[in-house]
Amino acid sequence: MQNISATVLTDIPDSLDALRQEILTAIDAAQDAASIEEIRVSALGKKGRLTEQMKTLGTLPPDERKEKGAALNVIKDEVAAKLAVRQKEIAGFEMQKRLEQERVDVTLSVRPQSEGRIHPITQTIEEIVTIFASMGFAVAKGPDIESDYYNFTALNIPPDHPARQMQSSFYLPEQDGKPVVLRTQTSPVQIRTMQKQKPPIRIIAPGRTYRVDYDMTHTPMFHQFEGLVLDEVTHMGHLKGCLLDFLRAFFGIADLPIRFRPSYFPFTEPSAEVDIGCSRKNGELKLGNYGDWLEIGGCGMVHPNVLKHGGIDAEQYQGFAFGMGVERLAMLKYGIPDLRTFFEADTRWLKHYGFVPLDIPNPALKG
Ligand code: DAH
């Protein structure tokens, strides 16, 4: 391009060459898209300096007009070409500048000191679900506001049955003439699941539960998780093996022993309370195979009346159920001494006992 201009420009009169030089120098000096546009308008626009020169051609004698017209056309082409080149260069710089400014380094590690924490209840539920999911359980849910029927009657606790007094309930105003409670247990999810799904069933149902109670070891709202397994040949041995595997994985103690004690729950027959091995030496509670025992939950073989309420053929199917408190498991695993502190929303407590968001959900399961 430089060469072409050089040859053609030998014919350009000095007066026009000064103008040409001025415009080309301005183009070279331009640093952004706006100044390039400004130069374009001032040179080639309707009232631009080269355009004005073109307009004077008509007043010239034919010879001069021809010569000057040719020269002007050469200059116009040269200026237009140079503008285009510079415009492209500037667009390139500007894109480069934007890329630099908006750059996100995806290799940077997560900031170590984020303030937010996962609440120990959320963390513990996640751990429980992770372990049971690895055993083929699905998560099931039911409402916190539950009918008296699902919370009690369908679980083989008829009205006026003394077992209703085992759990002091929050009753709510009746709905459609029927009594309604804040569920006192996650067990109603058993019935809801059976009514929706045919065996084989393997579900885990974590969630909130409510009872009229408040002291060191009781809060009016707390969390439980329910387990239900129904199939054709499910027995008490499966139940014990399932809980043993779960509790060992959860606490990360490979030889943690468990023990079943005969008990009573209206919805299971036979029923058992589950204990895990511990030591209470020197007033310190330690989990493991130390000869002492600590109660951790309830379980049993699902009562035929419960299967009937769930619409399951009790002749063909049987199975087991279990229920445990989430806070209790969290307190034992993470050494949290007072249940009430879980729900005080104290950020210092949460900072101490909470979990950093991107941590692996269950450290006990690693390796
Ligand atoms: N629902 C019982 C409670 O809240 C716990 C429980 C015991 C659940 C035995 C079960 C079970 O599924 O089989 O105390």
Side-chain angles (χ1 to χ4, degrees):
M1 163 106 53
Q2 295 261 309
N3 284 342
I4 297 170
S5 316
T7 42
V8 183
L9 290 178
T10 46
D11 301 335
I12 290 178
D14 287 353
S15 60
L16 281 185
D17 195 45
L19 178 58
R20 168 184 164 269
Q21 286 297 350
E22 199 187 312
I23 296 171
L24 293 182
T25 312
I27 294 173
D28 273 335
Q31 293 300 324
D32 53 49
S35 359
I36 278 288
E37 179 59 10
E38 217 171 275
I39 295 165
R40 189 192 64 77
V41 173
S42 77
L44 303 173
K46 257 197 210 151
K47 292 191 175 151
R49 293 164 81 189
L50 291 173
T51 319
E52 295 292 340
Q53 290 288 336
M54 296 293 270
K55 285 183 197 161
T56 64
L57 292 178
T59 63
L60 299 176
D63 276 0
E64 250 180 82
R65 184 192 311 163
K66 201 173 164 203
E67 198 181 315
K68 189 170 177 186
L72 273 173
N73 275 331
V74 169
I75 296 175
K76 267 175 66 181
D77 289 349
E78 191 189 9
V79 164
K82 184 131 188 155
L83 276 170
V85 169
R86 188 67 188 151
Q87 223 159 16
K88 225 173 163 180
E89 277 172 8
I90 286 176
F93 301 150
E94 290 190 342
M95 174 60 84
Q96 199 54 39
K97 216 160 78 190
R98 239 182 96 186
L99 286 175
E100 289 287 333
Q101 276 166 359
E102 295 176 10
R103 187 164 128 174
V104 176
D105 185 349
V106 290
T107 66
L108 277 182
S109 52
V110 176
R111 273 181 222 151
Q113 267 315 319
S114 75
E115 289 295 310
R117 291 289 182 277
I118 305 282
H119 194 282
I121 293 296
T122 309
Q123 171 83 12
T124 303
I125 289 176
E126 233 165 77
E127 292 174 12
I128 293 165
V129 167
T130 305
I131 297 168
F132 279 105
S134 76
M135 299 196 227
F137 284 70
V139 172
K141 282 188 176 148
D144 288 18
I145 298 172
E146 188 55 283
S147 69
D148 178 274
Y149 171 78
Y150 279 109
N151 194 75
F152 293 120
T153 313
L155 288 163
N156 199 31
I157 318 174
D160 304 320
H161 191 282
R164 291 208 178 199
Q165 263 73 63
M166 282 165 74
Q167 306 169 354
S168 29
S169 324
F170 286 107
Y171 275 91
L172 299 174
E174 292 193 348
Q175 278 176 15
D176 305 325
K178 294 200 183 99
V180 176
V181 292
L182 289 180
R183 67 177 178 190
T184 59
Q185 48 189 353
T186 43
S187 306
V189 184
Q190 288 189 31
I191 306 292
R192 289 183 174 275
T193 306
M194 290 181 211
Q195 288 179 347
K196 273 192 287 217
Q197 193 183 326
K198 292 291 146 233
I201 290 175
R202 276 187 191 197
I203 56 110
I204 193 86
R208 292 194 173 125
T209 46
Y210 307 82
R211 290 182 200 174
V212 184
D213 238 340
Y214 189 68
D215 60 34
M216 264 285 278
T217 52
H218 297 90
T219 49
M221 187 280 294
F222 58 104
H223 299 76
Q224 289 190 335
F225 66 94
E226 195 76 13
L228 174 69
V229 172
L230 292 183
D231 210 332
E232 291 185 10
V233 289
T234 313
H235 57 67
M236 203 87 176
H238 295 134
L239 167 58
K240 195 165 185 185
C242 172
L243 293 183
L244 185 71
D245 284 351
F246 163 67
L247 289 163
R248 285 181 172 177
F250 178 79
F251 288 111
I253 303 173
D255 64 345
L256 184 72
I258 73 168
R259 171 177 92 166
F260 276 13
R261 256 178 314 107
S263 185
Y264 170 76
F265 297 103
F267 29 85
T268 44
E269 182 58 38
S271 302
E273 246 142 352
V274 188
D275 294 345
I276 51 176
C278 74
S279 143
R280 293 184 171 84
K281 248 204 196 144
N282 307 322
E284 194 197 327
L285 183 69
K286 217 163 80 185
L287 300 184
N289 192 6
Y290 301 113
D292 208 350
W293 298 97
L294 177 74
E295 189 199 317
I296 194 97
C299 67
M301 300 305 293
V302 180
H303 196 291
N305 288 347
V306 173
L307 293 175
K308 265 177 225 148
H309 281 291
I312 303 278
D313 179 358
E315 295 296 318
Q316 192 184 354
Y317 297 107
Q318 56 181 352
F320 60 78
F322 52 87
M324 288 182 205
V326 175
E327 285 79 359
R328 183 139 166 91
L329 290 184
M331 287 165 87
L332 288 168
K333 181 164 176 177
Y334 296 113
I336 303 172
D338 186 341
L339 172 67
R340 290 172 297 193
T341 56
F342 277 94
F343 309 115
E344 284 171 352
D346 182 338
T347 50
R348 290 163 305 172
W349 182 89
L350 192 56
K351 185 128 205 184
H352 183 78
Y353 288 111
F355 295 83
V356 178
L358 291 177
D359 271 1
I360 291 166
N362 188 2
L365 281 182
K366 276 195 290 183

